[in-house]
Amino acid sequence: MSLLNDIPLSALHFYMTAPYPCSYLPAVQARSQVATPTFLINGPVYSQLVQHGFRRSGTYTYRPLCDGCRACVPLRVLSRQFAPNRSQRRAWGQHAHLQASLHNLHDSAEYYHLYQRYQCARHPNGGMDNDDRESYQNFLLQSHVDSLLVEFREPSDQDKPGALRMVSVIDLLGDGLSSVYTFYDPDVPRARFGVYNVLWQIELCRKLDLDFVYLGYWIEHSRKMAYKTGYRPAQGLIDGVWQPLDKGFP
């Protein structure tokens, strides 16, 4: 039994953060439970933590554990049973020409420029629109688990690569994929890159013969999280048990 391959969760320590303003619900104070030490959280350990509702931001592994609030519901899509609706099929057809390529995590000026444009257009005054290069790298390009970076580009010609439209970071888990973060070109009219990206991850999950795509947290009263209810069937982690969420969707 190798320590690197079979670390029990009991070897980790968990601490609570101080209260901080919630990013999703106004006038609410949030707290997180953080798993440490980070060097023990490898791929297999992180897979177990995700099954218990944890996520990561860089090498920081956490889950919401707020005083008197349980609005954040970890959500995962059942990849094998998923069937796209009409709107999703249109988004798939609209962007099926994009060329996807898988890479190890790495930085480039092209990525960072697209990230800045996306944040300024989609999340102005959200804090991340002013991320410097180091903050961006720590958030997206630092990982102790099995992570991949996916480029989505327009078809290329012989002289240069096609225009970069979207970048997605995903983690490979024992039972599925975890969608870490995606940013895309905000200036393409009527584009539906975000929808296409989730569909692409579900398709990749099927090709890898895995069961779930973990989409992070769903919050019923947060408009930012509303898109996650469109991918069904899905399960939510409620009271420590993964259970069907479809009947709970608005």
Side-chain angles (χ1 to χ4, degrees):
M1 185 180 296
S2 168
L3 176 63
L4 292 179
N5 294 322
D6 198 4
I7 301 169
L9 291 185
S10 59
L12 301 178
H13 298 278
F14 301 89
Y15 71 88
M16 294 295 297
T17 67
Y20 56 89
C22 179
S23 301
Y24 303 103
L25 300 177
V28 173
Q29 291 290 296
R31 297 182 73 187
S32 293
Q33 185 181 45
V34 180
T36 60
T38 58
F39 69 87
L40 285 183
I41 302 176
N42 59 15
V45 172
Y46 185 64
S47 292
Q48 295 181 64
L49 288 170
V50 171
Q51 292 172 10
H52 287 81
F54 283 80
R55 298 271 295 167
R56 73 171 184 87
S57 175
T59 59
Y60 177 87
T61 303
Y62 70 96
R63 65 179 174 184
L65 200 61
C66 307
D67 299 328
C69 178
R70 293 295 181 267
C72 291
V73 178
L75 183 148
R76 66 186 186 186
V77 180
L78 281 66
S79 65
R80 301 177 196 273
Q81 291 80 27
F82 171 77
N85 59 34
R86 181 182 301 178
S87 176
Q88 291 164 347
R89 290 195 296 270
R90 287 199 298 266
W92 181 263
Q94 181 181 355
H95 298 301
H97 67 284
L98 293 177
Q99 297 178 340
S101 58
L102 303 176
H103 308 269
N104 292 325
L105 297 185
H106 68 284
D107 195 11
S108 78
E110 189 180 23
Y111 297 163
Y112 182 55
H113 178 62
L114 180 63
Y115 176 83
Q116 287 184 309
R117 289 173 52 215
Y118 172 80
Q119 293 297 344
C120 289
R122 298 290 178 170
H123 304 291
N125 303 315
M128 296 169 71
D129 55 329
N130 292 317
D131 273 2
D132 58 24
R133 190 69 170 265
E134 183 178 4
S135 298
Y136 150 80
Q137 291 172 339
N138 289 338
F139 169 46
L140 279 182
L141 304 179
Q142 300 295 318
S143 173
H144 289 159
V145 301
D146 298 323
S147 302
L148 290 173
L149 182 147
V150 191
E151 284 185 7
F152 295 87
R153 293 183 179 271
E154 296 289 342
S156 60
D157 57 33
Q158 294 181 351
D159 298 324
K160 60 181 180 179
L164 180 66
R165 295 304 188 199
M166 181 162 55
V167 174
S168 185
V169 175
I170 57 177
D171 292 334
L172 304 178
L173 308 175
D175 62 353
L177 303 176
S178 177
S179 183
V180 178
Y181 199 74
T182 296
F183 54 97
Y184 50 80
D185 190 335
D187 298 323
V188 179
R190 296 179 296 279
R192 303 183 66 196
F193 293 128
V195 175
Y196 178 76
N197 181 263
V198 176
L199 299 176
W200 187 91
Q201 290 187 31
I202 293 172
E203 184 62 21
L204 177 62
C205 195
R206 287 172 166 172
K207 290 178 179 178
L208 296 175
D209 198 26
L210 298 171
D211 294 323
F212 306 110
V213 174
Y214 291 84
L215 291 182
Y217 303 112
W218 172 64
I219 301 174
E220 182 177 2
H221 299 295
S222 171
R223 294 181 63 184
K224 293 180 182 179
M225 300 293 194
Y227 77 92
K228 299 181 182 182
T229 65
Y231 303 92
R232 310 181 188 184
Q235 295 176 338
L237 185 63
I238 301 173
D239 296 328
V241 178
W242 288 100
Q243 51 191 285
L245 262 184
D246 292 333
K247 294 181 180 179
F249 285 158

